Amino acid sequence: MTLKLDPRLLYEIMSEFHTLGDEEYGGQGTFQEAILVGYIYGLLTENPMSQLTMDSSDRKVYRYGGYSYIIWFDEVYAKETEGDVEEPHFSQDTFEVRIEDFSEDLEEEGHEESVLLPVAVEGPYSEEDIQEFLSNGDL
């Protein structure tokens, strides 16, 4: 089964949940929400129908399908692990997801072992909502 988010489906999902992702931003903080945030961010950045309307260090606003969505970013720190790490046991009902280790890339680039990743998505907002957020200093 493949999830294909078109503007209508994204609007329906976000209308129901309003915020997905990290609890700090109003989401549930589940692993599934984190995956969906990454998927939505990928959709908004790669789809030619999507338009970046605001870009700052901790958030980006994309317009897609007539509505705007706020993607929140936060620093994620690479953890140092010592010794052998036990591989998790997966039942037949689950699937394995490979999570990329950013620590080597960060060391090569001279970063202090942190990277900004999308952690939450909020929306849908109308253009008027976004203008109101901007005039109130909320964005």
Side-chain angles (χ1 to χ4, degrees), residues 86-117:
E86 184 178 326
E87 290 292 322
H89 177 274
F90 295 100
S91 72
Q92 292 182 12
D93 298 3
T94 62
F95 56 92
E96 185 174 350
V97 175
R98 180 172 169 78
I99 301 190
E100 204 169 320
D101 182 4
F102 289 101
S103 60
E104 289 178 19
D105 294 338
L106 294 171
E107 289 171 8
E108 288 174 11
E109 296 173 12
H111 296 282
E112 295 183 10
E113 298 193 29
S114 70
V115 65
L116 281 176
L117 292 177

PDB file of all heavy atoms in Angstrom, residues 86-117:
ATOM      1  N   GLU A  86      22.517  -3.589  20.748  1.00  0.00           N
ATOM      2  CA  GLU A  86      21.698  -4.757  20.476  1.00  0.00           C
ATOM      3  C   GLU A  86      20.665  -4.426  19.410  1.00  0.00           C
ATOM      4  O   GLU A  86      19.979  -3.402  19.476  1.00  0.00           O
ATOM      5  CB  GLU A  86      21.002  -5.203  21.757  1.00  0.00           C
ATOM      6  CG  GLU A  86      20.199  -6.469  21.595  1.00  0.00           C
ATOM      7  CD  GLU A  86      19.554  -6.900  22.896  1.00  0.00           C
ATOM      8  OE1 GLU A  86      20.162  -6.687  23.961  1.00  0.00           O
ATOM      9  OE2 GLU A  86      18.441  -7.435  22.833  1.00  0.00           O
ATOM     10  N   GLU A  87      20.571  -5.277  18.418  1.00  0.00           N
ATOM     11  CA  GLU A  87      19.582  -5.097  17.358  1.00  0.00           C
ATOM     12  C   GLU A  87      18.197  -5.397  17.925  1.00  0.00           C
ATOM     13  O   GLU A  87      18.011  -6.369  18.654  1.00  0.00           O
ATOM     14  CB  GLU A  87      19.861  -6.048  16.186  1.00  0.00           C
ATOM     15  CG  GLU A  87      21.098  -5.699  15.401  1.00  0.00           C
ATOM     16  CD  GLU A  87      20.947  -4.396  14.630  1.00  0.00           C
ATOM     17  OE1 GLU A  87      19.857  -4.132  14.103  1.00  0.00           O
ATOM     18  OE2 GLU A  87      21.931  -3.642  14.573  1.00  0.00           O
ATOM     19  N   PRO A  88      17.207  -4.567  17.595  1.00  0.00           N
ATOM     20  CA  PRO A  88      15.858  -4.829  18.111  1.00  0.00           C
ATOM     21  C   PRO A  88      15.261  -6.067  17.455  1.00  0.00           C
ATOM     22  O   PRO A  88      15.582  -6.392  16.322  1.00  0.00           O
ATOM     23  CB  PRO A  88      15.079  -3.569  17.711  1.00  0.00           C
ATOM     24  CG  PRO A  88      15.843  -2.988  16.574  1.00  0.00           C
ATOM     25  CD  PRO A  88      17.264  -3.374  16.770  1.00  0.00           C
ATOM     26  N   HIS A  89      14.401  -6.738  18.189  1.00  0.00           N
ATOM     27  CA  HIS A  89      13.701  -7.898  17.658  1.00  0.00           C
ATOM     28  C   HIS A  89      12.393  -7.418  17.045  1.00  0.00           C
ATOM     29  O   HIS A  89      11.630  -6.697  17.681  1.00  0.00           O
ATOM     30  CB  HIS A  89      13.416  -8.902  18.783  1.00  0.00           C
ATOM     31  CG  HIS A  89      12.632 -10.075  18.313  1.00  0.00           C
ATOM     32  ND1 HIS A  89      11.273 -10.070  18.256  1.00  0.00           N
ATOM     33  CD2 HIS A  89      13.030 -11.273  17.839  1.00  0.00           C
ATOM     34  CE1 HIS A  89      10.842 -11.218  17.778  1.00  0.00           C
ATOM     35  NE2 HIS A  89      11.895 -11.963  17.526  1.00  0.00           N
ATOM     36  N   PHE A  90      12.135  -7.810  15.806  1.00  0.00           N
ATOM     37  CA  PHE A  90      10.925  -7.386  15.120  1.00  0.00           C
ATOM     38  C   PHE A  90      10.000  -8.577  14.965  1.00  0.00           C
ATOM     39  O   PHE A  90      10.412  -9.637  14.498  1.00  0.00           O
ATOM     40  CB  PHE A  90      11.241  -6.827  13.724  1.00  0.00           C
ATOM     41  CG  PHE A  90      12.045  -5.563  13.769  1.00  0.00           C
ATOM     42  CD1 PHE A  90      13.410  -5.579  13.550  1.00  0.00           C
ATOM     43  CD2 PHE A  90      11.435  -4.353  14.047  1.00  0.00           C
ATOM     44  CE1 PHE A  90      14.155  -4.418  13.603  1.00  0.00           C
ATOM     45  CE2 PHE A  90      12.168  -3.197  14.108  1.00  0.00           C
ATOM     46  CZ  PHE A  90      13.531  -3.222  13.878  1.00  0.00           C
ATOM     47  N   SER A  91       8.745  -8.382  15.345  1.00  0.00           N
ATOM     48  CA  SER A  91       7.765  -9.438  15.127  1.00  0.00           C
ATOM     49  C   SER A  91       7.367  -9.430  13.658  1.00  0.00           C
ATOM     50  O   SER A  91       7.728  -8.536  12.905  1.00  0.00           O
ATOM     51  CB  SER A  91       6.537  -9.204  16.012  1.00  0.00           C
ATOM     52  OG  SER A  91       5.789  -8.118  15.521  1.00  0.00           O
ATOM     53  N   GLN A  92       6.602 -10.412  13.265  1.00  0.00           N
ATOM     54  CA  GLN A  92       6.180 -10.496  11.870  1.00  0.00           C
ATOM     55  C   GLN A  92       5.169  -9.407  11.518  1.00  0.00           C
ATOM     56  O   GLN A  92       4.917  -9.161  10.357  1.00  0.00           O
ATOM     57  CB  GLN A  92       5.588 -11.872  11.582  1.00  0.00           C
ATOM     58  CG  GLN A  92       6.640 -12.968  11.644  1.00  0.00           C
ATOM     59  CD  GLN A  92       6.056 -14.313  11.303  1.00  0.00           C
ATOM     60  OE1 GLN A  92       4.944 -14.415  10.814  1.00  0.00           O
ATOM     61  NE2 GLN A  92       6.813 -15.364  11.562  1.00  0.00           N
ATOM     62  N   ASP A  93       4.596  -8.738  12.514  1.00  0.00           N
ATOM     63  CA  ASP A  93       3.612  -7.688  12.271  1.00  0.00           C
ATOM     64  C   ASP A  93       4.256  -6.340  11.994  1.00  0.00           C
ATOM     65  O   ASP A  93       3.571  -5.395  11.661  1.00  0.00           O
ATOM     66  CB  ASP A  93       2.702  -7.512  13.495  1.00  0.00           C
ATOM     67  CG  ASP A  93       1.905  -8.760  13.794  1.00  0.00           C
ATOM     68  OD1 ASP A  93       2.089  -9.772  13.102  1.00  0.00           O
ATOM     69  OD2 ASP A  93       1.095  -8.719  14.733  1.00  0.00           O
ATOM     70  N   THR A  94       5.556  -6.229  12.188  1.00  0.00           N
ATOM     71  CA  THR A  94       6.214  -4.940  12.029  1.00  0.00           C
ATOM     72  C   THR A  94       7.188  -4.987  10.867  1.00  0.00           C
ATOM     73  O   THR A  94       7.456  -6.044  10.301  1.00  0.00           O
ATOM     74  CB  THR A  94       6.971  -4.548  13.307  1.00  0.00           C
ATOM     75  OG1 THR A  94       7.994  -5.519  13.543  1.00  0.00           O
ATOM     76  CG2 THR A  94       6.047  -4.446  14.497  1.00  0.00           C
ATOM     77  N   PHE A  95       7.726  -3.843  10.531  1.00  0.00           N
ATOM     78  CA  PHE A  95       8.726  -3.762   9.476  1.00  0.00           C
ATOM     79  C   PHE A  95       9.876  -2.927   9.988  1.00  0.00           C
ATOM     80  O   PHE A  95       9.729  -2.123  10.896  1.00  0.00           O
ATOM     81  CB  PHE A  95       8.138  -3.156   8.198  1.00  0.00           C
ATOM     82  CG  PHE A  95       7.529  -1.814   8.410  1.00  0.00           C
ATOM     83  CD1 PHE A  95       8.274  -0.663   8.226  1.00  0.00           C
ATOM     84  CD2 PHE A  95       6.204  -1.677   8.817  1.00  0.00           C
ATOM     85  CE1 PHE A  95       7.711   0.585   8.438  1.00  0.00           C
ATOM     86  CE2 PHE A  95       5.645  -0.438   9.015  1.00  0.00           C
ATOM     87  CZ  PHE A  95       6.400   0.697   8.825  1.00  0.00           C
ATOM     88  N   GLU A  96      11.032  -3.143   9.408  1.00  0.00           N
ATOM     89  CA  GLU A  96      12.227  -2.438   9.849  1.00  0.00           C
ATOM     90  C   GLU A  96      12.374  -1.150   9.056  1.00  0.00           C
ATOM     91  O   GLU A  96      12.213  -1.132   7.848  1.00  0.00           O
ATOM     92  CB  GLU A  96      13.454  -3.313   9.637  1.00  0.00           C
ATOM     93  CG  GLU A  96      14.712  -2.714  10.171  1.00  0.00           C
ATOM     94  CD  GLU A  96      15.879  -3.676  10.077  1.00  0.00           C
ATOM     95  OE1 GLU A  96      15.661  -4.858   9.765  1.00  0.00           O
ATOM     96  OE2 GLU A  96      16.993  -3.234  10.320  1.00  0.00           O
ATOM     97  N   VAL A  97      12.669  -0.073   9.745  1.00  0.00           N
ATOM     98  CA  VAL A  97      12.920   1.219   9.110  1.00  0.00           C
ATOM     99  C   VAL A  97      14.358   1.586   9.417  1.00  0.00           C
ATOM    100  O   VAL A  97      14.766   1.616  10.571  1.00  0.00           O
ATOM    101  CB  VAL A  97      11.971   2.312   9.653  1.00  0.00           C
ATOM    102  CG1 VAL A  97      12.332   3.661   9.066  1.00  0.00           C
ATOM    103  CG2 VAL A  97      10.538   1.951   9.365  1.00  0.00           C
ATOM    104  N   ARG A  98      15.132   1.845   8.390  1.00  0.00           N
ATOM    105  CA  ARG A  98      16.532   2.222   8.591  1.00  0.00           C
ATOM    106  C   ARG A  98      16.593   3.719   8.863  1.00  0.00           C
ATOM    107  O   ARG A  98      16.080   4.516   8.094  1.00  0.00           O
ATOM    108  CB  ARG A  98      17.348   1.876   7.351  1.00  0.00           C
ATOM    109  CG  ARG A  98      18.795   2.244   7.489  1.00  0.00           C
ATOM    110  CD  ARG A  98      19.566   1.691   6.305  1.00  0.00           C
ATOM    111  NE  ARG A  98      20.891   2.203   6.246  1.00  0.00           N
ATOM    112  CZ  ARG A  98      21.900   1.796   6.981  1.00  0.00           C
ATOM    113  NH1 ARG A  98      21.703   0.849   7.869  1.00  0.00           N
ATOM    114  NH2 ARG A  98      23.098   2.319   6.848  1.00  0.00           N
ATOM    115  N   ILE A  99      17.249   4.084   9.946  1.00  0.00           N
ATOM    116  CA  ILE A  99      17.406   5.481  10.306  1.00  0.00           C
ATOM    117  C   ILE A  99      18.854   5.856  10.062  1.00  0.00           C
ATOM    118  O   ILE A  99      19.766   5.210  10.581  1.00  0.00           O
ATOM    119  CB  ILE A  99      16.996   5.734  11.762  1.00  0.00           C
ATOM    120  CG1 ILE A  99      15.543   5.327  11.912  1.00  0.00           C
ATOM    121  CG2 ILE A  99      17.257   7.176  12.151  1.00  0.00           C
ATOM    122  CD1 ILE A  99      14.881   5.691  13.172  1.00  0.00           C
ATOM    123  N   GLU A 100      19.048   6.872   9.266  1.00  0.00           N
ATOM    124  CA  GLU A 100      20.389   7.272   8.872  1.00  0.00           C
ATOM    125  C   GLU A 100      21.119   7.947  10.024  1.00  0.00           C
ATOM    126  O   GLU A 100      20.544   8.728  10.762  1.00  0.00           O
ATOM    127  CB  GLU A 100      20.273   8.243   7.694  1.00  0.00           C
ATOM    128  CG  GLU A 100      21.488   8.297   6.849  1.00  0.00           C
ATOM    129  CD  GLU A 100      21.236   9.057   5.575  1.00  0.00           C
ATOM    130  OE1 GLU A 100      20.162   8.912   4.983  1.00  0.00           O
ATOM    131  OE2 GLU A 100      22.131   9.814   5.186  1.00  0.00           O
ATOM    132  N   ASP A 101      22.399   7.641  10.159  1.00  0.00           N
ATOM    133  CA  ASP A 101      23.238   8.238  11.189  1.00  0.00           C
ATOM    134  C   ASP A 101      23.909   9.479  10.615  1.00  0.00           C
ATOM    135  O   ASP A 101      24.708   9.390   9.699  1.00  0.00           O
ATOM    136  CB  ASP A 101      24.291   7.232  11.649  1.00  0.00           C
ATOM    137  CG  ASP A 101      25.172   7.771  12.758  1.00  0.00           C
ATOM    138  OD1 ASP A 101      24.927   8.901  13.229  1.00  0.00           O
ATOM    139  OD2 ASP A 101      26.100   7.055  13.160  1.00  0.00           O
ATOM    140  N   PHE A 102      23.554  10.650  11.130  1.00  0.00           N
ATOM    141  CA  PHE A 102      24.076  11.919  10.626  1.00  0.00           C
ATOM    142  C   PHE A 102      25.399  12.304  11.279  1.00  0.00           C
ATOM    143  O   PHE A 102      26.032  13.252  10.856  1.00  0.00           O
ATOM    144  CB  PHE A 102      23.071  13.053  10.906  1.00  0.00           C
ATOM    145  CG  PHE A 102      21.843  12.975  10.075  1.00  0.00           C
ATOM    146  CD1 PHE A 102      20.664  12.474  10.608  1.00  0.00           C
ATOM    147  CD2 PHE A 102      21.859  13.403   8.760  1.00  0.00           C
ATOM    148  CE1 PHE A 102      19.530  12.410   9.840  1.00  0.00           C
ATOM    149  CE2 PHE A 102      20.721  13.336   7.995  1.00  0.00           C
ATOM    150  CZ  PHE A 102      19.555  12.835   8.520  1.00  0.00           C
ATOM    151  N   SER A 103      25.836  11.587  12.304  1.00  0.00           N
ATOM    152  CA  SER A 103      26.990  12.040  13.080  1.00  0.00           C
ATOM    153  C   SER A 103      28.261  12.144  12.244  1.00  0.00           C
ATOM    154  O   SER A 103      29.023  13.082  12.403  1.00  0.00           O
ATOM    155  CB  SER A 103      27.213  11.141  14.293  1.00  0.00           C
ATOM    156  OG  SER A 103      27.446   9.811  13.882  1.00  0.00           O
ATOM    157  N   GLU A 104      28.516  11.197  11.334  1.00  0.00           N
ATOM    158  CA  GLU A 104      29.721  11.271  10.515  1.00  0.00           C
ATOM    159  C   GLU A 104      29.681  12.472   9.584  1.00  0.00           C
ATOM    160  O   GLU A 104      30.670  13.162   9.403  1.00  0.00           O
ATOM    161  CB  GLU A 104      29.892   9.984   9.721  1.00  0.00           C
ATOM    162  CG  GLU A 104      30.275   8.796  10.590  1.00  0.00           C
ATOM    163  CD  GLU A 104      30.391   7.522   9.788  1.00  0.00           C
ATOM    164  OE1 GLU A 104      30.536   7.603   8.548  1.00  0.00           O
ATOM    165  OE2 GLU A 104      30.340   6.445  10.401  1.00  0.00           O
ATOM    166  N   ASP A 105      28.528  12.723   8.964  1.00  0.00           N
ATOM    167  CA  ASP A 105      28.385  13.878   8.075  1.00  0.00           C
ATOM    168  C   ASP A 105      28.615  15.174   8.832  1.00  0.00           C
ATOM    169  O   ASP A 105      29.232  16.102   8.330  1.00  0.00           O
ATOM    170  CB  ASP A 105      26.996  13.910   7.431  1.00  0.00           C
ATOM    171  CG  ASP A 105      26.759  12.749   6.488  1.00  0.00           C
ATOM    172  OD1 ASP A 105      27.754  12.165   6.002  1.00  0.00           O
ATOM    173  OD2 ASP A 105      25.582  12.422   6.229  1.00  0.00           O
ATOM    174  N   LEU A 106      28.120  15.239  10.054  1.00  0.00           N
ATOM    175  CA  LEU A 106      28.260  16.448  10.853  1.00  0.00           C
ATOM    176  C   LEU A 106      29.708  16.697  11.210  1.00  0.00           C
ATOM    177  O   LEU A 106      30.179  17.832  11.173  1.00  0.00           O
ATOM    178  CB  LEU A 106      27.415  16.336  12.123  1.00  0.00           C
ATOM    179  CG  LEU A 106      25.912  16.285  11.901  1.00  0.00           C
ATOM    180  CD1 LEU A 106      25.204  15.948  13.203  1.00  0.00           C
ATOM    181  CD2 LEU A 106      25.401  17.577  11.339  1.00  0.00           C
ATOM    182  N   GLU A 107      30.427  15.629  11.561  1.00  0.00           N
ATOM    183  CA  GLU A 107      31.838  15.785  11.911  1.00  0.00           C
ATOM    184  C   GLU A 107      32.636  16.259  10.704  1.00  0.00           C
ATOM    185  O   GLU A 107      33.497  17.119  10.812  1.00  0.00           O
ATOM    186  CB  GLU A 107      32.396  14.467  12.441  1.00  0.00           C
ATOM    187  CG  GLU A 107      31.863  14.109  13.815  1.00  0.00           C
ATOM    188  CD  GLU A 107      32.251  12.707  14.244  1.00  0.00           C
ATOM    189  OE1 GLU A 107      33.054  12.054  13.552  1.00  0.00           O
ATOM    190  OE2 GLU A 107      31.733  12.258  15.268  1.00  0.00           O
ATOM    191  N   GLU A 108      32.339  15.707   9.520  1.00  0.00           N
ATOM    192  CA  GLU A 108      33.040  16.106   8.302  1.00  0.00           C
ATOM    193  C   GLU A 108      32.779  17.571   7.964  1.00  0.00           C
ATOM    194  O   GLU A 108      33.646  18.268   7.464  1.00  0.00           O
ATOM    195  CB  GLU A 108      32.607  15.232   7.132  1.00  0.00           C
ATOM    196  CG  GLU A 108      33.131  13.813   7.199  1.00  0.00           C
ATOM    197  CD  GLU A 108      32.567  12.944   6.093  1.00  0.00           C
ATOM    198  OE1 GLU A 108      31.941  13.491   5.156  1.00  0.00           O
ATOM    199  OE2 GLU A 108      32.746  11.727   6.168  1.00  0.00           O
ATOM    200  N   GLU A 109      31.566  18.035   8.224  1.00  0.00           N
ATOM    201  CA  GLU A 109      31.197  19.404   7.889  1.00  0.00           C
ATOM    202  C   GLU A 109      31.563  20.386   8.997  1.00  0.00           C
ATOM    203  O   GLU A 109      31.322  21.574   8.878  1.00  0.00           O
ATOM    204  CB  GLU A 109      29.698  19.483   7.594  1.00  0.00           C
ATOM    205  CG  GLU A 109      29.304  18.661   6.368  1.00  0.00           C
ATOM    206  CD  GLU A 109      27.807  18.610   6.170  1.00  0.00           C
ATOM    207  OE1 GLU A 109      27.079  19.377   6.833  1.00  0.00           O
ATOM    208  OE2 GLU A 109      27.351  17.801   5.352  1.00  0.00           O
ATOM    209  N   GLY A 110      32.099  19.910  10.111  1.00  0.00           N
ATOM    210  CA  GLY A 110      32.527  20.783  11.196  1.00  0.00           C
ATOM    211  C   GLY A 110      31.411  21.233  12.115  1.00  0.00           C
ATOM    212  O   GLY A 110      31.552  22.185  12.857  1.00  0.00           O
ATOM    213  N   HIS A 111      30.281  20.566  12.095  1.00  0.00           N
ATOM    214  CA  HIS A 111      29.169  20.923  12.977  1.00  0.00           C
ATOM    215  C   HIS A 111      29.372  20.292  14.346  1.00  0.00           C
ATOM    216  O   HIS A 111      30.143  19.365  14.508  1.00  0.00           O
ATOM    217  CB  HIS A 111      27.843  20.438  12.389  1.00  0.00           C
ATOM    218  CG  HIS A 111      27.492  21.102  11.096  1.00  0.00           C
ATOM    219  ND1 HIS A 111      26.968  22.364  11.038  1.00  0.00           N
ATOM    220  CD2 HIS A 111      27.615  20.680   9.824  1.00  0.00           C
ATOM    221  CE1 HIS A 111      26.770  22.694   9.775  1.00  0.00           C
ATOM    222  NE2 HIS A 111      27.155  21.684   9.017  1.00  0.00           N
ATOM    223  N   GLU A 112      28.663  20.820  15.309  1.00  0.00           N
ATOM    224  CA  GLU A 112      28.753  20.291  16.668  1.00  0.00           C
ATOM    225  C   GLU A 112      27.747  19.175  16.884  1.00  0.00           C
ATOM    226  O   GLU A 112      27.008  19.167  17.842  1.00  0.00           O
ATOM    227  CB  GLU A 112      28.534  21.414  17.674  1.00  0.00           C
ATOM    228  CG  GLU A 112      29.624  22.453  17.625  1.00  0.00           C
ATOM    229  CD  GLU A 112      29.434  23.526  18.662  1.00  0.00           C
ATOM    230  OE1 GLU A 112      28.560  23.371  19.543  1.00  0.00           O
ATOM    231  OE2 GLU A 112      30.146  24.524  18.597  1.00  0.00           O
ATOM    232  N   GLU A 113      27.719  18.242  15.979  1.00  0.00           N
ATOM    233  CA  GLU A 113      26.888  17.056  16.053  1.00  0.00           C
ATOM    234  C   GLU A 113      25.405  17.364  16.238  1.00  0.00           C
ATOM    235  O   GLU A 113      24.720  16.731  17.020  1.00  0.00           O
ATOM    236  CB  GLU A 113      27.390  16.110  17.135  1.00  0.00           C
ATOM    237  CG  GLU A 113      28.785  15.604  16.855  1.00  0.00           C
ATOM    238  CD  GLU A 113      29.168  14.444  17.719  1.00  0.00           C
ATOM    239  OE1 GLU A 113      28.271  13.685  18.115  1.00  0.00           O
ATOM    240  OE2 GLU A 113      30.350  14.299  17.985  1.00  0.00           O
ATOM    241  N   SER A 114      24.895  18.343  15.515  1.00  0.00           N
ATOM    242  CA  SER A 114      23.457  18.594  15.497  1.00  0.00           C
ATOM    243  C   SER A 114      23.065  18.968  14.079  1.00  0.00           C
ATOM    244  O   SER A 114      23.882  19.438  13.294  1.00  0.00           O
ATOM    245  CB  SER A 114      23.067  19.711  16.465  1.00  0.00           C
ATOM    246  OG  SER A 114      23.544  20.940  15.990  1.00  0.00           O
ATOM    247  N   VAL A 115      21.819  18.741  13.773  1.00  0.00           N
ATOM    248  CA  VAL A 115      21.299  19.054  12.447  1.00  0.00           C
ATOM    249  C   VAL A 115      19.849  19.480  12.606  1.00  0.00           C
ATOM    250  O   VAL A 115      19.142  19.004  13.491  1.00  0.00           O
ATOM    251  CB  VAL A 115      21.450  17.832  11.499  1.00  0.00           C
ATOM    252  CG1 VAL A 115      20.594  16.670  11.943  1.00  0.00           C
ATOM    253  CG2 VAL A 115      21.167  18.204  10.071  1.00  0.00           C
ATOM    254  N   LEU A 116      19.410  20.416  11.776  1.00  0.00           N
ATOM    255  CA  LEU A 116      18.008  20.836  11.800  1.00  0.00           C
ATOM    256  C   LEU A 116      17.187  19.866  10.965  1.00  0.00           C
ATOM    257  O   LEU A 116      17.495  19.630   9.802  1.00  0.00           O
ATOM    258  CB  LEU A 116      17.852  22.244  11.224  1.00  0.00           C
ATOM    259  CG  LEU A 116      18.201  23.393  12.143  1.00  0.00           C
ATOM    260  CD1 LEU A 116      18.086  24.718  11.389  1.00  0.00           C
ATOM    261  CD2 LEU A 116      17.312  23.421  13.368  1.00  0.00           C
ATOM    262  N   LEU A 117      16.164  19.320  11.572  1.00  0.00           N
ATOM    263  CA  LEU A 117      15.258  18.404  10.881  1.00  0.00           C
ATOM    264  C   LEU A 117      13.825  18.863  11.088  1.00  0.00           C
ATOM    265  O   LEU A 117      13.494  19.480  12.102  1.00  0.00           O
ATOM    266  CB  LEU A 117      15.406  16.988  11.434  1.00  0.00           C
ATOM    267  CG  LEU A 117      16.720  16.275  11.159  1.00  0.00           C
ATOM    268  CD1 LEU A 117      16.734  14.921  11.844  1.00  0.00           C
ATOM    269  CD2 LEU A 117      16.944  16.111   9.673  1.00  0.00           C
TER     270      LEU A 117
END
